[in-house]
Amino acid sequence: MKVLVPVKRVVDYNVKVRVKSDQSGVDIANVKMSMNPFDEIAVEEATRLKEKGVATEIVAVSCGVAQSQETLRTAMAIGADRGILVQTDAELQPLAVAKLLKALVDKEQPQLVILGKQAIDDDANQTGQMLAALLDWPQATFASKVEVEGDKVKVTREVDGGLETIALSLPAIVTTDLRLNEPRYVTLPNIMKAKKKPLDTVSPEDLGVDVAPRLKTLKVVEPAARKAGIMVPDVATLVDKLKNEAKVV
């Protein structure tokens, strides 16, 4: 079984994000970039499926600038067998990424696509669902457990009321949640091995996909600063302030 794992290059989750002075977007100049954490979980899950003998090949895919090759090398250091970079400097929105992935799925013919439920830069949570719609494949989002049984994949997913377990017929789309697994530490030997694994580069034009943005960002602003809290001596004072100052009771 071939597994396709899309991965995204994003600002590292430890970095404090700053807005550009002209409010046109987020400043990423000289900022540490890394693999989207949810995608890292997806690569780890695909690797575990291969270690169990369920998957035979893992193909990591990234869409974006040339530096995304580093993200693909990280995926290959975790366990992916090869990488494909759809290189473009254009602003890629979820629908464009989904169309690029559909073109690659049509070409590679994987039986399972595992990707993060969302990217931590735009928090869109749309690409997996859009890809499933374009392919007309069954999908399971927010997966906290994945089990492949024959021509079906059983997925336990997180819902508002707790957990839901569903069975999908392969081929299928699965998006990963935080509790699915804990990605392994990437060792230096595996990083060196990843440098020798094949990495192909294509363009959106090669895939026949128009990636022009459908949405325009008008302005990006930082969230309003929260006011500092105050200490009150007793419950009576708290109730008085909630009643007369905050006017919430």
Side-chain angles (χ1 to χ4, degrees):
M1 181 176 77
K2 183 188 289 188
V3 181
L4 191 78
V5 187
V7 295
K8 186 177 184 182
R9 179 177 183 263
V10 299
V11 175
D12 190 89
Y13 67 91
N14 288 312
V15 173
K16 179 174 172 53
V17 176
R18 300 187 183 280
V19 175
K20 291 180 180 178
S21 57
D22 61 359
Q23 296 186 323
S24 62
V26 172
D27 187 3
I28 59 172
N30 302 315
V31 170
K32 181 184 178 185
M33 308 292 282
S34 60
M35 187 190 302
N36 178 45
F38 290 103
D39 296 341
E40 197 172 357
I41 292 169
V43 178
E44 173 66 27
E45 191 62 24
T47 302
R48 293 186 184 189
L49 289 175
K50 187 178 179 184
E51 289 171 347
K52 292 176 183 175
V54 175
T56 54
E57 184 183 24
I58 302 169
V59 183
V61 177
S62 191
C63 306
V65 295
Q67 291 90 331
S68 297
Q69 289 187 27
E70 301 167 11
T71 309
L72 287 170
R73 293 295 179 193
T74 302
M76 288 188 277
I78 295 173
D81 298 295
R82 57 188 174 93
I84 301 174
L85 172 61
V86 183
Q87 187 172 329
T88 176
D89 292 326
E91 176 196 351
L92 292 177
Q93 294 176 349
L95 180 58
V97 175
K99 288 180 176 179
L100 291 171
L101 293 176
K102 179 187 182 297
L104 288 173
V105 168
D106 290 341
K107 180 181 177 183
E108 293 288 334
Q109 295 293 307
Q111 286 73 53
L112 184 63
V113 178
I114 307 179
L115 65 162
K117 69 171 184 176
Q118 65 194 73
I120 61 171
D121 52 2
D122 58 17
D123 276 331
N125 183 17
Q126 294 176 336
T127 305
Q129 293 90 326
M130 287 178 169
L131 178 59
L134 291 172
L135 289 169
D136 196 23
W137 283 11
Q139 61 174 308
T141 55
F142 320 131
S144 59
K145 187 176 182 181
V146 176
E147 298 173 284
V148 177
E149 301 172 350
D151 62 348
K152 293 188 180 297
V153 55
K154 190 165 75 172
V155 177
T156 301
R157 57 188 303 269
E158 300 189 5
V159 294
D160 291 341
L163 298 175
E164 175 184 67
T165 301
I166 58 177
L168 312 176
S169 298
L170 295 174
I173 309 286
V174 174
T175 72
T176 62
D177 213 331
L178 277 175
R179 280 160 287 280
L180 178 58
N181 62 52
E182 184 175 339
R184 69 194 64 192
Y185 178 77
V186 179
T187 62
L188 182 59
N190 285 338
I191 293 173
M192 300 307 293
K193 289 177 184 176
K195 291 182 179 180
K196 298 179 180 179
K197 292 182 179 180
L199 196 161
D200 298 326
T201 301
V202 297
S203 68
E205 292 74 24
D206 295 334
L207 300 173
V209 177
D210 175 18
V211 296
R214 265 55 172 183
L215 304 174
K216 181 180 179 182
T217 301
L218 301 179
K219 185 169 67 171
V220 177
V221 296
E222 292 191 19
R226 295 179 62 181
K227 293 181 180 178
I230 59 170
M231 299 290 290
V232 293
D234 51 45
V235 175
T237 307
L238 173 61
V239 172
D240 178 67
K241 287 185 176 294
L242 290 173
K243 198 172 187 178
N244 300 313
E245 292 184 18
K247 299 186 184 302
V248 293
V249 293

